[in-house]
Amino acid sequence: MNIILLGPPGAGKGTQAAVISARYKLAHISTGDIFRAAVASGSELGARAKACMERGELVPDAVTIAIVRERLTGTENYILDGFPRTTEQAEALDSFAKIDAAVNISVPAEYLIDRAIGRRICKKCGATYHIKYNAPQSEGICDKCGGELYQRADDNAETMSKRLSNYEKSTRPLIEYYRKRGKLIEIDGRKPIGEVSGEILAKLEEVRA
Ligand code: ADP
Ligand code: AMP
């Protein structure tokens, strides 16, 4: 099964991708994680991605598509988290992959700044927490591996508002793109994490059946 996750920044894509990938043994491929790793490695790609990410803009389509195309070569059974984000990316993906379902996690804008500002990520294993909605047992420390938690540089109110307006302009049209192709699964992402997971897994069982 090859799945994509759609939704605005902070909707819960990474959180739910972790649950879904564990359940169905899917490779979890996050373009945001790929770009953050490139930034951390100090590569040329990292320098280019960093400038876009800091401004709350998308990395250019040609760069992003080439990375995903290469990553998916020889891979089946994956969940794409954060790709595609533009119609050009979706069309490119259709040319080299077969997608079974597009899960759209819908969350209104008024929830999203709070979700992003409270987000904390483990430096070591990448697990995602939230200071209010999914707090670790000890502040600043990952429950799963003991790693240190950090706050993303782009999780601030100013960058988030740019990311949200870019989402509206470039990514929201993909909901219709996948609806027209009969692939869309719609999920109310306002509910608590466990309820959202339950709804997604139930709908994916219908796709598998
Ligand atoms: P995305 O990958 O879509 O940007 P994340 O999965 O990183 O979003 O979630 C953003 C933040 O919101 C994280 O801190 C996460 O713990 C929290 N979160 C995710 N889903 C929910 C939910 N259903 N209710 C409350 N908080 C959530
Ligand atoms: P995310 O971790 O999904 O919130 O992504 C963080 C940032 O990485 C985004 O704000 C973009 O700058 C960049 N990015 C991630 N995925 C894509 C994509 N599919 N296309 C373009 N830029 C992306």
Side-chain angles (χ1 to χ4, degrees):
M1 196 158 55
N2 298 328
I3 300 169
I4 66 171
L5 282 183
L6 296 174
K13 299 182 295 297
T15 301
Q16 299 302 334
V19 175
I20 301 163
S21 62
R23 169 66 65 96
Y24 294 119
K25 297 196 168 53
L26 306 176
H28 175 186
I29 300 169
S30 153
T31 41
D33 285 351
I34 292 172
F35 291 134
R36 279 182 290 278
V39 172
S41 78
S43 66
E44 201 179 305
L45 167 68
R48 206 162 165 199
K50 187 168 188 257
C52 302
M53 291 163 94
E54 274 175 353
R55 288 197 295 264
E57 290 169 5
L58 295 179
V59 175
D61 281 335
V63 175
T64 309
I65 290 166
I67 286 168
V68 173
R69 188 196 296 266
E70 194 189 323
R71 176 63 187 81
L72 292 186
T73 302
T75 305
E76 278 303 330
N77 296 313
Y78 47 80
I79 179 154
L80 282 171
D81 157 11
F83 183 95
R85 263 177 154 102
T86 65
T87 303
E88 192 173 333
Q89 292 178 14
E91 285 170 353
L93 182 65
D94 278 341
S95 75
F96 57 74
K98 188 189 157 293
I99 299 304
D100 299 296
V103 177
N104 181 47
I105 305 178
S106 160
V107 179
E110 63 263 29
Y111 288 61
L112 296 169
I113 301 229
D114 179 46
R115 284 204 187 172
I117 286 173
R119 169 160 50 192
R120 298 291 181 272
I121 296 170
C122 177
K123 270 188 183 162
K124 216 161 122 189
C125 75
T128 300
Y129 296 87
H130 191 282
I131 55 170
K132 285 190 273 186
Y133 310 125
N134 183 22
Q137 279 169 4
S138 312
E139 196 186 320
I141 296 170
C142 179
D143 293 346
K144 298 190 176 76
C145 77
E148 189 189 332
L149 304 186
Y150 77 100
Q151 186 172 17
R152 277 170 47 174
D154 57 350
D155 277 344
N156 59 71
E158 195 192 337
T159 311
M160 256 312 263
S161 75
K162 288 194 195 131
R163 288 158 66 198
L164 291 173
S165 69
N166 283 327
Y167 167 82
E168 291 299 332
K169 194 174 66 199
S170 305
T171 311
R172 186 183 284 284
L174 296 185
I175 298 173
E176 278 315 309
Y177 182 97
Y178 287 102
R179 196 197 310 278
K180 277 190 193 141
R181 287 160 179 76
K183 306 278 185 209
L184 189 70
I185 292 176
E186 294 190 84
I187 296 291
D188 180 352
R190 290 173 300 182
K191 296 177 185 169
I193 293 172
E195 283 182 41
V196 175
S197 303
E199 288 186 14
I200 295 175
L201 293 174
K203 295 245 170 105
L204 288 176
E205 281 303 309
E206 290 171 20
V207 172
R208 268 157 56 95

